[in-house]
Amino acid sequence: MYVVKSPLPDHDLKTVSEALHGALVDLVDLSLVAKQIHWNVVGPRFRSIHLQLDEVVDSARTHSDTVAERASALGVPPDGRAATVASGSGIGTAPAGWVKDTDAVRTMVDALGAVITRMRERVEATGEADPVSQDILIGITADLEKHHWMFQAENA
Amino acid sequence: MYVVKSPLPDHDLKTVSEALHGALVDLVDLSLVAKQIHWNVVGPRFRSIHLQLDEVVDSARTHSDTVAERASALGVPPDGRAATVASGSGIGTAPAGWVKDTDAVRTMVDALGAVITRMRERVEATGEADPVSQDILIGITADLEKHHWMFQAENA
Amino acid sequence: MYVVKSPLPDHDLKTVSEALHGALVDLVDLSLVAKQIHWNVVGPRFRSIHLQLDEVVDSARTHSDTVAERASALGVPPDGRAATVASGSGIGTAPAGWVKDTDAVRTMVDALGAVITRMRERVEATGEADPVSQDILIGITADLEKHHWMFQAENA
Amino acid sequence: MYVVKSPLPDHDLKTVSEALHGALVDLVDLSLVAKQIHWNVVGPRFRSIHLQLDEVVDSARTHSDTVAERASALGVPPDGRAATVASGSGIGTAPAGWVKDTDAVRTMVDALGAVITRMRERVEATGEADPVSQDILIGITADLEKHHWMFQAENA
Amino acid sequence: MYVVKSPLPDHDLKTVSEALHGALVDLVDLSLVAKQIHWNVVGPRFRSIHLQLDEVVDSARTHSDTVAERASALGVPPDGRAATVASGSGIGTAPAGWVKDTDAVRTMVDALGAVITRMRERVEATGEADPVSQDILIGITADLEKHHWMFQAENA
Amino acid sequence: MYVVKSPLPDHDLKTVSEALHGALVDLVDLSLVAKQIHWNVVGPRFRSIHLQLDEVVDSARTHSDTVAERASALGVPPDGRAATVASGSGIGTAPAGWVKDTDAVRTMVDALGAVITRMRERVEATGEADPVSQDILIGITADLEKHHWMFQAENA
Amino acid sequence: MYVVKSPLPDHDLKTVSEALHGALVDLVDLSLVAKQIHWNVVGPRFRSIHLQLDEVVDSARTHSDTVAERASALGVPPDGRAATVASGSGIGTAPAGWVKDTDAVRTMVDALGAVITRMRERVEATGEADPVSQDILIGITADLEKHHWMFQAENA
Amino acid sequence: MYVVKSPLPDHDLKTVSEALHGALVDLVDLSLVAKQIHWNVVGPRFRSIHLQLDEVVDSARTHSDTVAERASALGVPPDGRAATVASGSGIGTAPAGWVKDTDAVRTMVDALGAVITRMRERVEATGEADPVSQDILIGITADLEKHHWMFQAENA
Amino acid sequence: MYVVKSPLPDHDLKTVSEALHGALVDLVDLSLVAKQIHWNVVGPRFRSIHLQLDEVVDSARTHSDTVAERASALGVPPDGRAATVASGSGIGTAPAGWVKDTDAVRTMVDALGAVITRMRERVEATGEADPVSQDILIGITADLEKHHWMFQAENA
Amino acid sequence: MYVVKSPLPDHDLKTVSEALHGALVDLVDLSLVAKQIHWNVVGPRFRSIHLQLDEVVDSARTHSDTVAERASALGVPPDGRAATVASGSGIGTAPAGWVKDTDAVRTMVDALGAVITRMRERVEATGEADPVSQDILIGITADLEKHHWMFQAENA
Amino acid sequence: MYVVKSPLPDHDLKTVSEALHGALVDLVDLSLVAKQIHWNVVGPRFRSIHLQLDEVVDSARTHSDTVAERASALGVPPDGRAATVASGSGIGTAPAGWVKDTDAVRTMVDALGAVITRMRERVEATGEADPVSQDILIGITADLEKHHWMFQAENA
Amino acid sequence: MYVVKSPLPDHDLKTVSEALHGALVDLVDLSLVAKQIHWNVVGPRFRSIHLQLDEVVDSARTHSDTVAERASALGVPPDGRAATVASGSGIGTAPAGWVKDTDAVRTMVDALGAVITRMRERVEATGEADPVSQDILIGITADLEKHHWMFQAENA
């Protein structure tokens, strides 16, 4: 028996639900990694990167909320608990301790790159099954790619 | 060699640094647990608890930022990564899947109670070593105890 | 002779125009039904549902305006008059008089469910003919399904 | 048995309740008619009238809410459903399709004039029975007569 | 000799002054009672009622200020001191200690009901003597009756 | 032939039209007198009175606009030109040149007193003819009497 | 003996004081004339001109305040009373009664033109005597010429 | 059995609870006394003191809410009812009727002085028992002493 | 070697890059053309069209920024320099000198029509290559078609 | 025949009109050049310069609007079309493609320097002919010189 | 070698640079003196003067920033350090300790008078050398003379 | 005789008064030093440090106001005049002329470090004498240590 009745047939629901679950875990971790570096970055570009990272945190928090509530709306209970995030994220472990500003930028280029690759696969996977969820994932991908460009530009 | 020079002598720094690290981990986890239930709560009181939990999330996020930046200001690099939180939090694991509203309230009463007990120990531990850090922990405890009262009142 | 020249060929315009007309009628009625229950709901959850319904009203009014102006932009004069809405809406008649809060929630679950089913058909119907209109309908569907989840969650 | 106990004796309540019901139906219809023309007006004065009509819509929505909640406060469940509005409104049917700007102004002069005449009768009818409701109806009439002047001035 | 010269003749002033004094005492007490329950309510509807009561407090504070300054404007020094309120209020004593949410609603229905009955008598008493003061009392009554409906609706 | 058709019969219109015309002239003059003293007041209480007078100016400007647009709404073209105001105002000529603060307060007590007396006569005159206009004049009188009290209180 | 000591020698003060007095009278009258037409304009462009005139009123009120307070700052008590304005303004008498929209535009073109001509003479007259006052008059002229252009453009 | 479980042991709770109860009663009375004088003050400094008193009212209301909710958070139901305030306040009875401005200032110096003395005793009493409550009382004392200075400065 | 690494393979990148470049040039030119007419329009509808054109300018500026930053995010440096715009825009040359209001509307209908036709081709061209870019172009097209309708409606 | 009558004699008008035309072209180009580099800058200072350039864009857009509307107010139709800007700007062609941050700063130092030199000539040229236009050009020059300093400071 | 290249030739630069340096020192001192009296004023007019002084502080801070950044923009490094201000200010030493309100007003009349005299000399000195800097100094003088009038008016 | 009566006994007052006086002088100087470097910093990090310094200025101004008004509230007239600051500040003299960005950061690390050391001594000194003042100094120290970390992080 269900609590929230899905507007999707079972097969499609399975596809979309996996995509949303993966996106949720990646986005929660992205918010934690960006905060970690926000606190630990040092070097001449400290202030600039410190502020830029809070914009990534805001994006990641907003998008994770959208994705989790989309799962609920499809009748699938979302899971964004610490242990789930720690084991399931597509982002490599962020370094411990102070991080030089150049390393901070490189870490973010990698983290965003890893999430974007997986988001594009999810966009592709969901188009048939649920154009509504796909549209949400497309919007998030556009935003992440914008952040990605900015850190790459700083890396040049 | 240090990056940020601490205003505290080594012994006091150790005491304060442990208190701040513990607080950071608890508060990040509190924000994740409250969001998890925000997404999964069901039952007649859904809307009320859904909104109330976002106020806990806001508090926990703000306080974790304050605590982490206080550690940085004392020369101690903070650690709020997913794995650190998953293993070090003082809050028990939140349930997976949909949560009935009455269970949601009880889970929050327990989670807040666990964090508050540890925060009061940290307030006691840091008074001698650093009244500045203690004052921050006191302010956070007051706010958590207010949230705790509200969930207990709903539980009555 | 036309007043506003459509960017679409005749055949596509017919398809899209029917979808937009149907959506307009459903959304205007949704706003009237939600207001009706907003005024008449009684029971212990009165305040919570009273407020929640005004959020549905806001959504429905905004979306109906978007849909009607989209029709105008395609050269099709929209029709959202009371009689058109009374006869063409996909939502069943709302009950007269005071409504117990549990009945209010159930009425909204049904009303939103009926509109969503028709919106998903319109999303499917318009993809070929006009991706611009389809994108608008997708966005509205996402929002309605979020409201639908919330009332179902309260129903659990 | 009653849900909300009226502060008025039965006879007065009947008088006031009829006045409020009539006002509610007229005001909901006024909001629908003004939106209909907002979407369909064409001609050199399009933009000016398009914007002016949204101010009428805002007034009519706010006033219909006030009147309906006043009925509830008196213990009378309000009825603003599409079919009730379609059959009970004092405003003549608005034209279908594009409307020339001069016709749009004339339609609004007529619609507002019809509602104002009935509102003045309600003001007169309720003075004895309930000065509180009368005061609300007086305030609405003042606002409608201001809109009426503006469309008449444009008509000159 | 007077400080502020009244625009009313002595006889009318006496009537109006009694009405305003009574209204002031009732409204100050209403703000204290609503705050008392705001702090002491417990039960599953805690949050909803806690918030709703602060809206009553805001209304009562605003209205008591309006009424007191109206008295001053008529040359009558207002009296809203604790002892005057404690002895002169038309509201029964609020319960001490924690209040179950259902009892909280009932207490507010009674308190608002008591004030409204007296306000309607004041509206009737002042019409001849001073239509300006009467208009102020009418506006306050409308607002109190709206709050009264909402608590009754929750009581249903 | 008319431009704006009045909702009132001729006889009532004449009564109301005279009341509104008188009110308009008084209120425009009140705004000019208050500004004049705002610029010319001197003495230890300069700043306090300078600021207080701008609140009278704001009130008088807002009320004059309301009254003039009410006349228009009744089909009577309003007249607020300098010469009309100079010859028709009920306020005595304000003094030229610097004004001591105590004199400034006394001037305002007199000016407001003169306008209030005439406004109360207008309230009385219009009740039968047009309760809508009367309600507007009542609201303005309440506000003027509040300003009057404040200047009298300063005069004590 | 003076109240406010002027930073200017007597001869310069006389020049500047005349310029500021003339500007004050013109600007107060401009605000009254623009309001008069704001209330009385009729015709198809009613709404557009009605709104545009309130922007002129705002400008004229702000500028008259600046000019009057500049006179005070130079030790010259300003005079903006109704009779002074009625007799000293450089603007011709505005028409009484309803004004057709085309006439309204023409009236404003003439009124602004008359004030601008005099303002340019004042700019020229004050440059030597007081560059601070001249700078204020230059800024006002720029703004009036912008309003003048807009009404001329509508007149084309 | 308890409703809200206190984080404090019984002995400490008794100490803190008395301090908070006393503070609540004093602060509610301070808000009533300040409003009373806000309405009744007369004399040349009327406006200045009238405004200043509303800042005291705002402070007192905010602080009383903080203190009452702190009591609730410690498991102690707060009591701020009119009769409790009338009998338990540390502030002497405010005078009835109009108050000359110099007397108004003196009354506030005394009232604030009386509350501050008792607040400093509460700060001292609670330090051991509950540093969280003490920190709240310290913050309130700082604010009251700032208001106290301002009224004393006016008294000089 | 690249500065910003594209998430797209070379072939798709070429397609998308041409679409974005064309859109950028059209949108920058649209903002310049709309400003040109904003400054030069004359005639009775001056004010209405003057304001409407600034809304087109705002849209065009926002969209050109979105499109240019999307190109950067795909690793393609955007080109929106004056010479590039002058030679590459799809909009015909706007007329020099004053423009009658009817001509202004016609010019905008044509300019928007030309851009929309090209935008729809770009929507079609990019769907396969990059759904993220396509979604951005769809949103811009919807907004441009809304502006197009409004100018056509004024043309009727 | 003219559309907008100039307040200046022919000879002065020619001088001022050339100055304003030159300023308009330079300022529109400045906004395009700054946006171009805003999109294309790369290097460690990317974020800082990216944001700083948008402040230049805002300044340039606001000033170009002021200058163009000043021309209109003088009866001279402004010309800010792409081709006019491309051929008439005093700024050298901005580089195509990605721009290293140090080059970006140097480009802006040069561009602002070129515009400032010409603006100072225009200030000198217009003083006799029209102090109102001169005052506008002086204000713009002050703002551009502030931006110029900031880029030079970064260049040091 | 220079850091910021001045747009002025050496001789003019020397003149302007002295004027700006003098203005900076005076304005920083004005902000310190006004704050000093803001904290120390006592007497019946305490509140009014306390607030008025913060408006002087705001003006002085804003103007000192404008003047200092203008110096930087001309290539002259500004100097606003405490010792420079203490030795170079044109304002006499403010009194230590509590200041009676009448003395406070007199002190500000003198301080503002001293700065204004020097500002007018700077306005005169810079007109030839740099009309842009002169325009800034003129604007500041206007504002200071307005504050001067207000304190003189209070002194009357 | 006193003006403001201190809530502290003489001995404690002396201790606290010295602490507050020292803090005031340091904080005013900090605001002047930070502004000095805000105006004079040059180098690639100009913009970032320029903005960061204004946040220090805002903090220092707010804290100096709090500390000075705390002294007044304790009955001790504060002294923040230029000469007092120049001679009594704990911060070394800031360099004259342009400052390279790396030197600017180092200057701020030293200045903040010097103030923090003294603030921690003041926190220690005042705990016994006045916990209210101590609490204020603790809050300021926390904020200064946060700024200190940020400049140190940039120095790494």
Side-chain angles (χ1 to χ4, degrees), chain A residues 55-72:
Chain A
E55 295 174 13
V56 176
V57 172
D58 281 354
S59 284
R61 284 178 176 169
T62 302
H63 296 326
S64 65
D65 210 56
T66 303
V67 158
E69 302 202 336
R70 179 69 197 155
S72 292

Side-chain angles (χ1 to χ4, degrees), chain C residues 2-144:
Chain C
Y2 55 83
V3 168
V4 177
K5 182 155 174 268
S6 184
L8 303 181
D10 279 11
H11 181 261
D12 289 348
L13 184 55
K14 187 161 175 302
T15 305
V16 177
S17 149
E18 280 169 15
L20 293 173
H21 177 73
L24 175 58
V25 167
D26 282 0
L27 289 163
V28 172
D29 199 32
L30 183 61
S31 77
L32 295 178
V33 165
K35 262 295 179 203
Q36 174 73 9
I37 304 181
H38 168 84
W39 297 322
N40 282 288
V41 62
V42 297
R45 290 148 71 193
F46 162 77
R47 188 170 181 271
S48 186
I49 293 169
H50 181 74
L51 293 173
Q52 185 176 2
L53 283 163
D54 252 0
E55 295 174 14
V56 177
V57 171
D58 281 353
S59 284
R61 283 177 177 170
T62 302
H63 295 326
S64 66
D65 209 55
T66 303
V67 159
E69 301 202 338
R70 179 70 197 154
S72 291
L74 293 179
V76 184
D79 183 351
R81 296 170 297 171
T84 313
V85 172
S87 65
S89 165
I91 306 176
T93 309
W98 303 120
V99 188
K100 277 296 293 178
D101 47 16
T102 31
D103 296 335
V105 171
R106 211 168 314 125
T107 303
M108 289 311 298
V109 170
D110 291 349
L112 284 160
V115 178
I116 287 166
T117 302
R118 288 157 59 120
M119 289 304 282
R120 285 202 158 254
E121 290 164 11
R122 288 166 194 138
V123 167
E124 187 136 6
T126 53
E128 281 297 295
D130 183 16
V132 180
S133 297
Q134 188 202 35
D135 194 56
I136 287 168
L137 296 171
I138 283 173
I140 293 171
T141 305
D143 191 39
L144 295 176

